[in-house]
Each structure stands twice: as structure tokens, then as C-alpha cells.
Amino acid sequence: MTVTEARIIKFPIFKDKRGSLTFIEELKNIPFNISRIYYLFDIRKGASRGSHAHKLNEGLLISIVGEFKVEIDDGFQKKLFHLNKPNEGLYIPKMIWRNLFDFSDNALCLALASHEYDENEYIRDYDSFLKKVIKDRNLK
Ligand code: TYD
């Protein structure tokens, strides 16, 4: 997968005098089935998260409250996103290295994942990630 396949997806807003509502439906406004939801909260000042890629998992990151940045990397190219709206999410395909950083004080990051948690499908070592990217490209 390449960083060009990652993208911001905007969700519709229903706004009236009570406030706003948005929604996400699997395979309708996001391109995968949702197997898992997790969220990051109480994020320490200056902390970064991520620093891994997934062999299988596709995901979507949303800044529900506050803001943060995400750098994604396919081994050849990097791209930076600034997430700061509850009605948009960053879609990240499998085999993309990601780093989440510059969290605001109150940040709440919601993550939707295509697969159940399985530590075996994580790649947490950047050199191993690069080796797999090169191997996968040469096999195609
Ligand atoms: P980690 O992968 O370090 O989080 P991040 O991607 O935000 O940097 O996960 C922290 C811990 O939580 C680690 O021990 C694995 C565990 N974990 C689960 O048990 N289930 C999950 O769905 C996730 C995302 C993490």
C-alpha cells in the first residue's frame, strides 16, 4: 500500500438548534468492516503514539476532541495530516507506518479498526517494516 491510498474522509453533519451529529457506517462512508473500536485519552503532554504498521489491519483515526498530527510512511514516501475535526477521519490502509504526535491538552482520538487486536499482525520495528515493503514490492 502507498500513502496516496490514505485519505481524509468527511462525514455528513446534521446540525440543528440542539447541536450537531455525524455518523459512520461500515462499507458505506468508510471502506472496511469495523471489527474493533479503541480510543486514546489522557494523553501526556509531548507524547507520541503509534510507531508501527499493520500487516492486515486497515483503520480510521478521528480527532473527536482537540487535535493532533499523524505522519504516515509507506517506506518510500511520507505524508503529514492534521486532524482537528470530529466529522473527518484519516483512512490508513494496511502496511503504512504511522506516528501520532502534537496532541492538544484535551485530545481524544477515536480509532476504528478492520481487524480484532492481534499483536502478531503488528510490525513495531521500522527496519523490519522497510524489509517487508521492499520484499512485497519485488514479489509483484
Ligand atoms: P500500542 O499499540 O502501543 O498503542 P498505540 O498504537 O496508540 O501506540 O498499544 C498499547 C497497549 O494496548 C499494548 O499493550 C497493546 C494493547 N492493545 C490492546 O490490547 N488492544 C487494542 O485494540 C489496542 C489498539 C492495543
Side-chain angles (χ1 to χ4, degrees), residues 35-51:
S35 289
R36 179 165 52 103
I37 296 171
Y38 62 95
Y39 33 97
L40 306 174
F41 58 100
D42 279 351
I43 300 159
R44 292 285 158 84
K45 212 174 180 58
S48 62
R49 306 219 46 143
S51 287

Side-chain angles (χ1 to χ4, degrees), residues 36-38 40 48-52 54 98 100 116-117 119 122 124:
R36 179 165 52 103
I37 296 171
Y38 62 95
L40 306 174
S48 62
R49 306 219 46 143
S51 287
H52 63 250
H54 292 281
R98 85 285 315 272
L100 285 62
E116 289 175 13
Y117 175 72
E119 188 57 39
Y122 276 71
R124 293 191 186 270

Side-chain angles (χ1 to χ4, degrees), residues 53-108:
H54 292 281
K55 294 177 198 160
L56 291 175
N57 193 67
E58 299 167 65
L60 189 96
L61 298 174
I62 306 166
S63 179
I64 297 286
V65 178
E67 57 185 301
F68 58 93
K69 292 183 185 127
V70 188
E71 185 183 70
I72 56 168
D73 174 358
D74 59 20
F76 291 87
Q77 208 185 333
K78 294 179 180 179
K79 229 171 153 179
L80 181 68
F81 292 90
H82 184 187
L83 297 184
N84 58 1
K85 295 183 187 72
N87 72 308
E88 64 178 41
L90 174 62
Y91 167 67
I92 307 180
K94 64 182 178 179
M95 283 305 291
I96 299 286
W97 193 265
R98 85 285 315 272
N99 251 321
L100 285 62
F101 59 101
D102 271 1
F103 288 93
S104 60
D105 283 348
N106 55 344
L108 170 57

Side-chain angles (χ1 to χ4, degrees), residues 118-132:
D118 176 5
E119 188 57 39
N120 293 321
E121 70 87 33
Y122 276 71
I123 305 174
R124 293 191 186 270
D125 173 61
Y126 190 70
D127 285 343
S128 308
F129 167 70
L130 285 182
K131 278 188 189 136
K132 181 161 169 51

